Amino acid sequence: MLEKIIFSDLTFLALIPLVALLGIGLILARLYRRATKQLAFVRTGLGGQKVIMDGGAIILPVFHELIHVNMNTLKLDVYRRERESLITKDRMRVDVNVGFFVRVKQTEEAVSTAAQTLGARTLSPDELRTLVEDKFVDSLRATAATMTIQELQDKRRDFVQAVQNAVAEDLEKNGLELESVSLTSLDQTDKQFFNPNNAFDAEGLTRLTEQTEARRKQRNDVEQDTEMQVRAKNLDANRQKLAIEKDQE
């Protein structure tokens, strides 16, 4: 009987470390966070900053803070229309829709910078666009000012490349890289959105009026010339018809 009691006590004592290890393992499993190809994170707090792009790390409540960083490519649409449209080199206005495809660079330094400057905004395209939109608009305005409206239409690829070069360096300050730029729409702004009290708009409005009136006159001249040619042709045909009839009589 005594031997059975001693055996039971020894068994219980032997199970205590196993139970403890199991408990510790379960706790660590709940505290362990793993990064994915789509989602990296930065751990700050106890032990200093640690960037996790592949693998994982233990996150201790109170002692650590976790910042997730989206590693996917995001499309940020920028619209400049009507009174907010772009002014070209020849003082015309153009409405544009431009898509910027950006993502966090695949380096620990860039992920750390994005976490510090953008925070959770990388998880929301709308919030991220709001933060960096001014950089996109500045590059669009600066590039449009170097090209005429005709050049923008004929050299869309050059315009896109110039915008991409202008904004790429600014994005690096936020740990971002620009994959590509897509000009999805480009058209002349309606005349009613030119402000005659603005020096740039007044010049553009004068040029636009001159061009439209010249084209209207040219179109009218073509229509009138065409009508006269048709009438002359009909008259000549009638004369020839009368002459043939006279000869027949």
Side-chain angles (χ1 to χ4, degrees), residues 120-180:
R121 293 184 182 90
T122 61
L123 305 175
S124 172
D126 290 336
E127 292 184 8
L128 182 60
R129 180 181 60 80
T130 300
L131 186 65
V132 301
E133 183 175 17
D134 287 344
K135 296 181 179 181
F136 295 150
V137 173
D138 285 345
S139 65
L140 289 171
R141 290 190 183 281
T143 305
T146 65
M147 304 176 69
T148 66
I149 189 171
Q150 190 62 48
E151 289 174 338
L152 286 176
Q153 178 62 37
D154 296 341
K155 302 178 180 179
R156 295 164 69 107
R157 187 185 298 272
D158 293 343
F159 173 70
V160 167
Q161 186 61 53
V163 171
Q164 188 168 341
N165 294 338
V167 77
E169 185 175 350
D170 281 340
L171 290 180
E172 290 182 359
K173 298 176 183 178
N174 296 112
L176 301 173
E177 64 178 351
L178 186 63
E179 288 189 347
S180 62

Side-chain angles (χ1 to χ4, degrees), residues 104-121:
V104 176
K105 294 182 67 175
Q106 305 289 319
T107 65
E108 291 188 2
E109 181 181 359
V111 172
S112 176
T113 301
Q116 180 179 357
T117 61
L118 302 176
R121 293 184 182 90

Side-chain angles (χ1 to χ4, degrees), residues 190-210:
D190 193 278
K191 189 176 179 179
Q192 63 176 313
F193 297 107
F194 284 71
N195 180 8
N197 296 319
N198 179 284
F200 293 138
D201 281 352
E203 182 179 346
L205 192 59
T206 300
R207 181 176 285 106
L208 179 61
T209 301
E210 291 175 348

